[in-house]
Amino acid sequence: MAGLSAFRMRAVFNTSVALAGALSKAPKDKMRLAAELVSKGATMLAEPCPQDGGVQVRYRGKVYCTSHDDLSTITASAAVSYDTVVAHMREVLLARLNETTAALGTERDPGRQDQLVSLAAKYFELLQKLPQK
Ligand SMILES: [Zn+2]
């Protein structure tokens, strides 16, 4: 344990050495994932991880340690999230637009019709803004 705390002391006092050391000790896939995150806009932090001295990156407002955090789930979720959300949004908007149109067909109150028409217009506008496949 004495050796580990000595390493931590050095890591605090000599950041660049700690960074280089952590990078050279990191497994190849971790380094590849870290590089992938950086290519997606993550920034490497000068401060090493307070827990294990690993290289830290900031990605989408969160700080991850390239040593002890599972970077593969971060890059995987970042890669699928946009497409998944757009696909889900399209489904929901289509369903709501369909419901609103059906409701409009049977609505007799002009005030309520006005609400339904503006609602349908908003759904329709949003649908058209979604990226087309
Ligand atoms: Zn760490």
Side-chain angles (χ1 to χ4, degrees):
M1 287 311 277
L4 187 60
S5 62
F7 173 76
R8 281 181 187 170
M9 291 290 276
R10 276 204 309 277
V12 169
F13 289 116
N14 197 334
T15 303
S16 59
V17 169
L19 278 173
L23 270 180
S24 64
K25 271 184 289 185
K28 280 220 161 59
D29 62 324
K30 292 240 181 202
M31 287 185 65
R32 187 183 56 75
L33 287 166
E36 197 180 324
L37 271 183
V38 168
S39 77
K40 286 178 176 175
T43 49
M44 278 207 178
L45 302 183
E47 303 82 30
C49 172
Q51 291 175 45
D52 54 20
V55 175
Q56 295 187 114
V57 292
R58 189 195 304 278
Y59 185 63
R60 296 191 172 182
K62 283 185 177 174
V63 173
Y64 300 98
C65 170
T66 57
S67 245
H68 76 262
D69 280 324
D70 188 0
L71 297 181
S72 60
T73 60
I74 302 163
T75 51
S77 65
V80 298
S81 65
Y82 186 75
D83 285 347
T84 310
V85 168
V86 165
H88 186 225
M89 205 172 167
R90 186 182 286 114
E91 271 176 46
V92 170
L93 287 172
L94 275 172
R96 287 280 178 259
L97 185 59
N98 191 37
E99 284 170 21
T100 308
T101 308
L104 183 64
T106 55
E107 184 58 60
R108 303 192 63 100
D109 177 64
R112 182 79 184 122
Q113 282 179 29
D114 188 50
Q115 282 183 344
L116 289 170
V117 167
S118 82
L119 202 57
K122 283 174 189 167
Y123 291 147
F124 193 70
E125 197 187 337
L126 253 177
L127 269 170
Q128 288 183 315
K129 282 181 181 169
L130 292 180
Q132 303 300 310
K133 278 179 187 171

